[in-house]
Amino acid sequence: MAATTEWVAVAALDTDQRPAEGEDKTTDVKVRTVDGGEEKVRLHSSFWPGIEWAFAHNATVWLAMADPELWIPNTVDYVMIVTEARQVFFPGDCLDEVLRVPLREALGTEANAVLAGLPEVAPGEARAYLGIEKPAEPEPDPDRTILNPDDVDASVLDPLTPIGVNITTAGAIGDGITFTICTRIPAGWNDCIMADERATEGWNISAYVDDTGELEFWLLDADANVSKPIGKLGQVSTGGKGIKVLVDTSGVTADGTIRSQDLVQLVE
């Protein structure tokens, strides 16, 4: 709720666009706002009964719009109903239990008044208004960190040295589209190549190494899922400079079983 930056107060929905009873889906719906305007929003079918109850009982209906960078634009994230008695509830599948119950426990007897005033709070100030601390940033997990300058803090990359790596394999592993070969260091993962026939002619990738110069080579699945590496193929010392290596893929079976962890050799 603290991340909601746009609220739309509505006075009516286009009932011709109401999903059939029992349908579980999100559809486009025209809404009339309390200021007399019209908008088109994407509304889940589970919100309709609560909204219709609100209109029948002179309650205020607030649509909390989802972040367009995270969801399809104009999608309603959740709905907040404020009754004439200033009681607050959230219609939809389990949302009242997920949102209202823990907030009542956190805010106590003032929960209804605080929640009813939330749509009037300026964007960016909702956390302070609700008394919610911003969650701490998780510590980087090297086992899942990909050393991409666009995603990783500069403090992680600054001590590292970028080098070029030419990887040639002895042959495709499996059907050629089943596995990837990736390099890594203790700080995280570098680029990957497909373990297919093209790799027998050589691939050029970039990699980061730390002051030890050591570079590991790992077998991963076709999606290069770094959270579930299949196994280590070998390790070489780069000396902090570009290298060429040969990966003896004959030591890996078609199902990805690795017979040795000494399958990577430097090529002069």
Side-chain angles (χ1 to χ4, degrees), residues 140-151:
D141 181 356
D143 290 338
R144 300 192 180 197
T145 298
I146 298 174
L147 300 175
N148 183 336
D150 293 332
D151 302 321

Side-chain angles (χ1 to χ4, degrees), residues 134-248:
K134 186 175 182 179
E137 292 290 334
E139 290 294 323
D141 181 356
D143 290 338
R144 300 192 180 197
T145 298
I146 298 174
L147 300 175
N148 183 336
D150 293 332
D151 302 321
V152 177
D153 192 271
S155 62
V156 176
L157 300 180
D158 285 347
L160 307 178
T161 301
I163 64 171
V165 181
N166 178 273
I167 303 175
T168 301
T169 65
I173 302 175
D175 60 11
I177 59 172
T178 310
F179 302 103
T180 55
I181 297 172
C182 307
T183 68
R184 79 177 298 274
I185 60 175
W189 294 86
N190 292 302
D191 287 347
C192 305
I193 67 168
M194 294 299 299
D196 56 15
E197 287 294 339
R198 291 174 296 172
T200 62
E201 300 176 4
W203 279 87
N204 290 314
I205 64 171
S206 59
Y208 286 97
V209 293
D210 56 24
D211 55 7
T212 69
E214 295 295 309
L215 187 62
E216 300 173 0
F217 292 75
W218 287 72
L219 186 69
L220 277 67
D221 64 17
D223 296 324
N225 183 355
V226 298
S227 67
K228 295 181 179 179
I230 296 169
K232 187 177 179 180
L233 297 168
Q235 180 172 329
V236 299
S237 180
T238 69
K241 299 179 180 179
I243 58 170
K244 292 184 178 182
V245 299
L246 173 65
V247 181
D248 182 9

Side-chain angles (χ1 to χ4, degrees), residues 21 32 45 71 89 97 134 162 166 168 186 201 203 224 239:
E21 195 69 32
R32 179 164 54 83
S45 53
W71 294 89
F89 71 94
E97 180 178 353
K134 186 175 182 179
N166 178 273
T168 301
E201 300 176 4
W203 279 87

Side-chain angles (χ1 to χ4, degrees), residues 8-263:
V8 177
V10 299
L13 304 181
D14 185 345
T15 55
D16 290 338
Q17 296 177 301
R18 192 190 201 285
E21 195 69 32
E23 287 189 321
D24 183 17
K25 63 181 182 180
T26 298
T27 56
D28 289 335
V29 179
K30 290 181 181 179
V31 302
R32 179 164 54 83
T33 61
V34 295
D35 59 7
E38 284 192 356
E39 293 191 25
K40 184 174 73 172
V41 301
R42 301 183 72 254
L43 188 71
H44 192 266
S45 53
S46 64
F47 296 142
W48 278 82
I51 293 174
E52 290 171 331
W53 179 94
F55 290 153
H57 292 81
N58 296 318
T60 302
V61 177
W62 288 99
L63 306 183
M65 305 306 295
D67 185 340
E69 293 186 1
L70 302 177
W71 294 89
I72 298 172
N74 300 317
T75 296
V76 176
D77 193 3
Y78 58 94
V79 178
M80 183 170 72
I81 307 297
V82 182
T83 70
E84 284 190 301
R86 302 291 283 176
Q87 299 290 307
V88 174
F89 71 94
F90 302 88
D93 296 335
C94 302
L95 284 177
D96 197 54
E97 180 178 353
V98 170
L99 294 176
R100 183 179 60 84
V101 173
L103 284 167
R104 284 186 65 85
E105 292 177 355
L107 300 173
T109 57
E110 299 298 315
N112 282 309
V114 171
L115 293 174
L118 188 57
E120 307 300 328
V121 176
E125 297 181 7
R127 283 191 180 277
Y129 175 79
L130 293 171
I132 301 172
E133 293 184 4
K134 186 175 182 179
E137 292 290 334
E139 290 294 323
D141 181 356
D143 290 338
R144 300 192 180 197
T145 298
I146 298 174
L147 300 175
N148 183 336
D150 293 332
D151 302 321
V152 177
D153 192 271
S155 62
V156 176
L157 300 180
D158 285 347
L160 307 178
T161 301
I163 64 171
V165 181
N166 178 273
I167 303 175
T168 301
T169 65
I173 302 175
D175 60 11
I177 59 172
T178 310
F179 302 103
T180 55
I181 297 172
C182 307
T183 68
R184 79 177 298 274
I185 60 175
W189 294 86
N190 292 302
D191 287 347
C192 305
I193 67 168
M194 294 299 299
D196 56 15
E197 287 294 339
R198 291 174 296 172
T200 62
E201 300 176 4
W203 279 87
N204 290 314
I205 64 171
S206 59
Y208 286 97
V209 293
D210 56 24
D211 55 7
T212 69
E214 295 295 309
L215 187 62
E216 300 173 0
F217 292 75
W218 287 72
L219 186 69
L220 277 67
D221 64 17
D223 296 324
N225 183 355
V226 298
S227 67
K228 295 181 179 179
I230 296 169
K232 187 177 179 180
L233 297 168
Q235 180 172 329
V236 299
S237 180
T238 69
K241 299 179 180 179
I243 58 170
K244 292 184 178 182
V245 299
L246 173 65
V247 181
D248 182 9
T249 47
S250 65
V252 183
T253 65
D255 65 357
T257 300
I258 301 172
R259 297 194 179 103
S260 168
Q261 291 191 353
D262 190 25
L263 300 177

